Amino acid sequence: MRDPTLDLKVIHLVRDPRAVASSRIRSRHGLIRESLQVVRSRDPHIHRMPFLDAGHKLGGKKEGGGGSDYHALGAMEVICSSMAKTLQTALHPPDWLQGNYMAVRYEDLVVEPIKTLRQVYGFVNLAVSPEMEKFALNMTSGPGYSSKPFVVSARNATQALSAWRTALSYQQIKQVEEYCHQPMALLGYERVGSPEEVKDLGRTLLRKPRL
């Protein structure tokens, strides 16, 4: 970033941690080793947050997930801790980062693809081609929502944004919020107060981010 021969800018794509957790659980078998590595990489000197219900492995065998769900959620503590540090740096940027960092929410990209795409391209002093705008619009207004992990396809934006609200249990949601409340607050992701709020898909959980 300090190299005077480079004009380097950082575009940081972020997503609601609850959606990230849901995706990791959905991809449990493909990510089980990665989740374990993430959990083991945490700083041993930092006190680890306990599970809200210490006697229950979230997403246990009764829900079909077994230990893989448990580790997928446990990885969110490490992921969100790292994200919080990054966002704090962006919130109070050193000289070399000022004007060179942009956070882009996945939710904004799928709800307002053309507007968000133009903002991203403008940030790096480029113009968006009509072909790219058409591609972005098509990829966020597809016919459905794939349940298969690691598949790139056109998605229905509304379904993609709200999928975690029906896929995760309320206990799982509150666990992710416990781990991720700091980055969620900075990025404008509202926490839920009841199972009823989760299921009310007409209620948006997005507000203006602080970044």
Side-chain angles (χ1 to χ4, degrees):
M1 294 295 290
R2 293 187 175 93
D3 189 335
T5 65
L6 298 177
D7 183 16
L8 184 63
K9 293 181 181 290
V10 176
I11 298 173
H12 184 189
L13 180 63
V14 298
R15 191 178 185 184
D16 189 322
R18 294 163 295 195
V20 175
S22 178
S23 180
R24 293 183 73 87
I25 289 175
R26 189 159 45 88
S27 310
R28 60 171 68 93
H29 299 301
L31 289 176
I32 180 64
R33 290 184 180 179
E34 191 270 351
S35 293
L36 282 168
Q37 289 175 340
V38 171
V39 171
R40 290 167 179 167
S41 72
R42 62 180 296 275
D43 188 340
H45 299 98
I46 297 177
H47 176 68
R48 186 171 188 182
M49 294 182 185
F51 274 97
L52 296 178
D53 182 354
H56 177 65
K57 284 194 173 184
L58 303 181
K61 292 182 179 179
K62 291 183 179 180
E63 298 179 30
S68 55
D69 285 14
Y70 180 79
H71 294 304
L73 284 178
M76 293 305 300
E77 178 186 8
V78 182
I79 291 169
C80 284
S81 175
S82 176
M83 184 184 294
K85 293 177 182 178
T86 298
L87 295 175
Q88 284 295 336
T89 301
L91 193 63
H92 306 286
D95 292 342
W96 53 268
L97 193 60
Q98 291 183 12
N100 294 321
Y101 173 92
M102 180 183 190
V104 179
R105 293 193 303 190
Y106 167 84
E107 292 77 12
D108 295 330
L109 191 58
V110 298
V111 172
E112 297 182 297
I114 303 301
K115 176 183 177 181
T116 307
L117 194 64
R118 288 175 177 173
Q119 290 174 340
V120 171
Y121 270 65
F123 174 65
V124 294
N125 301 315
L126 294 175
V128 188
S129 68
E131 292 80 9
M132 181 58 73
E133 290 187 350
K134 181 179 179 180
F135 173 79
L137 195 60
N138 288 341
M139 288 298 288
T140 54
S141 57
Y145 179 74
S146 174
S147 61
K148 296 181 180 179
F150 311 120
V151 174
V152 178
S153 62
R155 302 289 180 89
N156 179 289
T158 302
Q159 290 183 12
L161 293 186
S162 60
W164 66 266
R165 297 172 75 166
T166 55
L168 296 180
S169 69
Y170 183 64
Q171 185 187 22
Q172 289 173 327
I173 291 169
K174 297 308 292 183
Q175 184 66 62
V176 176
E177 291 180 348
E178 182 73 10
Y179 285 154
C180 304
H181 61 92
Q182 290 182 329
M184 286 178 63
L186 290 174
L187 295 170
Y189 297 120
E190 291 187 4
R191 302 173 73 170
V192 296
S194 68
E196 290 71 29
E197 281 187 24
V198 177
K199 303 305 179 186
D200 182 6
L201 301 184
R203 181 180 184 274
T204 180
L205 297 173
L206 292 173
R207 55 179 171 76
K208 187 176 180 179
R210 292 172 56 188
L211 291 173

